[in-house]
Amino acid sequence: MDHASSWDFSLANYGPVWGFMVQLGLLLMFLMLGNLLRRTIPLFRKCLIPSALLGGALLLIVNVILKQFGFELVDRRLMQVITYHCLAIGFAAMTLKKEKSNHKTNKAQVLEFGALQGGTYMLQAFVGLGVTLVLFLLTRYGDQIVSYVCGLILPLAFGQGPGNALSWDINFTNTPAAQFAGNGSFGLSLASIGFVVASVMGVLYINIHKKKGGLSVRKDRPAGAVVDQTNPDGAEIPDNESVDKFTIQVGFVALAYALSFGFMCLLGSLSAFTNSIAWGFNFLWASLAAMLMKAVVQLLRRKNLMHRVYVNNYQMDRISGFSFDLMIVAGVAAIEINDIRNYILPVVLLSVLGAVITYVYIRLVSRECFKGFEHEMFLMSFGTLTGTASNGMILMKEVDPGLKTPTSSLYILSNFPAMVMIAPLLFLLSFAAGSIAHAVIACCVFFVLWVVYTVFLFRRRIFKKRYAAKRVETWTEDTEA
C-alpha cells in the first residue's frame, strides 16, 4: 500500500470529506429552526410564510453577523450549486407523477389556465425589462449603471423561484454586453421577495374577501377510509422488496436528470447559442426527460412488458417537496448583501410593480374565465406566479381544503400548454442580453405575446356579439332537437 497517497477522514481533509455534509446539515438545521419560528410566532403562521424562507433568512442573518468577526459559516458557491440542482430535481419528480384529475374539466379552461400563466410571464417580462431599460438610459452616464436586462429576471424569480433566477442572474453576469454584476444575489433576492409577496398578499386577499362576504371556505371532504398513500390502488410495487420503494422513486428521478445532463452536454457542444441555453434550463430538460420516461413506462404497461406500477405519486411529492424546501433555504442563504447594494432601486421597483401587475392581471382573468371558483383560481395562480406551486397550493387549500373545485386538476392538466406558451420567454433570454437593441426587440415581442394571450382569455368579452349569436344558435338547435 502506498502510504504517501493515503488519506483519512479527519479535519485535515475537511473540504472533500466534511464540507458538503456540514453545509447540508446547516440547511436542514435552519429549516427546522424556521419551522419552529413559524409554529411559535402567530404572525408567521397566519401569513403562511414558508418555513424554508424563515430558515434561509435566519441562516443569512447569522452568516452576516459572523462575517463581521471574520468567520464564514456558509459556503456560498455550494449553496448556489444546491439551489441550481434542486430546481431540476423537483421538476423531474413533479413531472414523473401520474396525472390524475379528480374533476371533470373543461378543455377550454385547461388552455385558459395555460394562457393565464403564459400571459402573466409575458407581462412580468415586458414590465420588468421596460423598467430596467428606462433605468439604464437614465443612469448610463452616471457612476452606477443599472443593467438594461436585469429586469428580465423578474418573471424567473417570481414565476419559477430561486433556481432559475440564480441560473440566469449568473448567465447575465457572465455576459459582458449585459453590464450586470448580480453574481446570483440579485435573482435570489427577487425570488425571496416573491415568496413574501405570495404569502402576505394571498392572506390579505383571503381575509378581505371573507369580510366582504364574497369568499366562503368550502368544507373539507367527509371522513372516510384511510387510503394507503404508498400503494393507493394496490397495483404498485410493495414496500417489502429487496430494494426499498423510495429508492426506486429516487432512481427514476436520478435517471431523468442523467438523461437531461446528457442532452445538455450534446446541446452545449453544438454552438455558442445552444450552449447559452443548454445549462440555464436544466429544470426544463429534466421535465422533458421525465415526460419521455413516463411515455416509455406507459408504452411498456400497454404492451404488458411491465406488470407493476413503479412510480408513486405520494413519494414523488415528498421528493419534490424536499428539493424545493432545500432550494429555498440554500437560495436565501446564498445571497451576498454587497452584491445587491448597487441594485436596491431596481429590486424595489421590480418587486412592487411585479406584485401589483401580477395581482391585477390574475384577478381580472380569474373573474373572466373561471366563474364559480375564481377565488380558488386566483389564489392558486397568484401563489404560483409569485412564489412556487407549493405557495399556490397552500393558499388555495385555505379556502378549498377538500379540493372540491377543479383548480388543482386544471393546474395539473395545464402544465404542457403553459410550458409551450412560456417557451418564447425562455428562449429569448440570451438574445435579450446581447445588446440594448436586442433587449428592446425582446421587450416588444413580450408585449405582443401578452396581447395575444390576453385577447384569447378575454375573447368572449371582446367578441361578445359573435359568442352571443353562437349561444343563441346552439340553444335553438337544442330546442328543436
Side-chain angles (χ1 to χ4, degrees):
M1 178 179 178
D2 183 6
H3 291 283
S5 62
S6 66
W7 62 295
D8 56 34
F9 301 101
S10 67
L11 285 179
N13 291 301
Y14 172 82
V17 177
W18 291 103
F20 175 76
M21 293 307 297
V22 168
Q23 295 297 306
L24 181 62
L26 279 173
L27 292 179
L28 295 175
M29 182 176 71
F30 276 87
L31 175 59
M32 294 173 70
L33 286 174
N35 189 57
L36 180 63
L37 282 176
R38 189 177 186 274
R39 297 293 300 173
T40 55
I41 300 177
L43 177 63
F44 292 149
R45 191 167 60 253
K46 289 178 181 177
C47 291
L48 303 180
I49 301 293
S51 299
L53 181 63
L54 293 173
L58 188 60
L59 180 54
L60 174 63
I61 292 169
V62 171
N63 189 53
V64 169
I65 293 172
L66 291 178
K67 282 178 70 174
Q68 306 306 312
F69 299 96
F71 182 74
E72 189 89 22
L73 180 65
V74 172
D75 184 341
R76 185 164 165 259
R77 183 64 61 84
L78 181 58
M79 293 297 173
Q80 291 181 341
V81 171
I82 291 172
T83 303
Y84 174 79
H85 289 305
C86 280
L87 176 71
I89 291 170
F91 267 84
M94 286 176 61
T95 308
L96 281 167
K97 288 172 54 181
K98 300 184 292 292
E99 295 180 355
K100 295 190 295 184
S101 175
N102 297 321
H103 301 87
K104 186 177 181 180
T105 53
N106 186 321
K107 291 182 180 179
Q109 287 185 328
V110 172
L111 289 176
E112 285 167 350
F113 196 4
L116 167 59
Q117 295 177 68
T120 306
Y121 271 91
M122 297 306 158
L123 179 60
Q124 290 173 343
F126 163 68
V127 172
L129 191 54
V131 166
T132 49
L133 279 169
V134 172
L135 289 177
F136 173 78
L137 295 174
L138 294 175
T139 62
R140 65 185 302 183
Y141 299 110
D143 296 330
Q144 295 181 351
I145 300 176
V146 175
S147 170
Y148 59 85
V149 79
C150 65
L152 205 46
I153 297 175
L154 173 63
L156 306 177
F158 272 32
Q160 295 181 343
N164 216 21
L166 165 71
S167 176
W168 281 95
D169 182 318
I170 291 176
N171 277 349
F172 291 158
T173 300
N174 293 332
T175 303
Q179 302 179 52
F180 183 55
N183 295 310
S185 294
F186 182 90
L188 293 174
S189 299
L190 270 181
S192 301
I193 293 170
F195 289 120
V196 177
V197 168
S199 301
V200 175
M201 292 185 68
V203 170
L204 286 174
Y205 179 92
I206 292 172
N207 291 328
I208 289 171
H209 285 275
K210 275 184 182 178
K211 289 180 180 178
K212 287 182 176 180
L215 177 60
S216 58
V217 177
R218 301 173 192 268
K219 293 182 179 179
D220 204 346
R221 64 185 62 171
V226 177
V227 178
D228 179 8
Q229 295 292 345
T230 61
N231 195 357
D233 54 8
E236 297 186 6
I237 57 173
D239 287 328
N240 56 349
E241 286 282 337
S242 58
V243 179
D244 189 86
K245 186 173 183 176
F246 184 73
T247 306
I248 297 292
Q249 313 305 308
V250 175
F252 270 98
V253 175
L255 179 57
Y257 203 20
L259 290 173
S260 67
F261 175 72
F263 181 74
M264 285 187 281
C265 289
L266 175 64
L267 200 62
S269 65
L270 295 178
S271 68
F273 172 72
T274 55
N275 184 63
S276 67
I277 64 172
W279 307 103
F281 297 133
N282 64 330
F283 75 98
L284 177 61
W285 313 132
S287 294
L288 292 175
M291 286 182 186
L292 176 63
M293 287 176 56
K294 190 159 63 172
V296 170
V297 167
Q298 290 173 348
L299 177 63
L300 293 175
R301 291 274 296 168
R302 285 198 301 270
K303 299 291 185 181
N304 284 327
L305 297 175
M306 181 182 288
H307 303 288
R308 295 192 294 183
V309 177
Y310 285 87
V311 174
N312 178 265
N313 282 4
Y314 177 76
Q315 292 185 338
M316 284 298 176
D317 277 334
R318 303 290 67 78
I319 294 173
S320 61
F322 174 73
S323 300
F324 290 145
D325 282 340
L326 210 61
M327 175 186 74
I328 294 169
V329 182
V332 177
I335 295 173
E336 175 58 58
I337 302 300
N338 291 328
D339 287 339
I340 60 173
R341 283 180 178 171
N342 294 334
Y343 293 98
I344 296 297
L345 178 60
V347 165
V348 172
L349 283 177
L350 291 173
S351 300
V352 173
L353 287 174
V356 171
I357 62 172
T358 304
Y359 180 96
V360 172
Y361 186 67
I362 295 176
R363 180 76 180 114
L364 292 173
V365 174
S366 298
R367 292 172 62 181
E368 176 68 21
C369 298
F370 305 103
K371 292 180 174 63
F373 56 102
E374 63 182 73
H375 297 297
E376 291 83 357
M377 183 58 71
F378 170 84
L379 291 167
M380 181 71 190
S381 302
F382 184 77
T384 301
L385 293 168
T386 52
T388 62
S390 299
N391 294 91
M393 189 63 72
I394 290 169
L395 288 170
M396 189 266 292
K397 284 186 175 180
E398 284 293 306
V399 297
D400 184 17
L403 302 181
K404 294 190 174 183
T405 67
T407 307
S408 57
S409 297
L410 285 173
Y411 178 75
I412 293 170
L413 297 173
S414 69
N415 281 335
F416 182 73
M419 190 180 296
V420 172
M421 294 182 188
I422 295 166
L425 165 65
L426 302 179
F427 288 103
L428 280 173
L429 291 170
S430 295
F431 174 80
S435 68
I436 189 169
H438 287 183
V440 172
I441 293 171
C443 193
C444 294
V445 171
F446 298 143
F447 176 73
V448 170
L449 288 173
W450 172 71
V451 170
V452 171
Y453 296 157
T454 303
V455 167
F456 170 72
L457 290 167
F458 289 89
R459 64 193 182 282
R460 298 179 187 87
R461 186 179 298 272
I462 296 171
F463 307 109
K464 54 186 176 183
K465 290 184 179 179
R466 175 184 169 189
Y467 275 88
K470 188 175 181 180
R471 282 198 298 270
V472 170
E473 182 181 341
T474 304
W475 180 84
T476 304
E477 290 176 355
D478 292 341
T479 304
E480 290 173 355

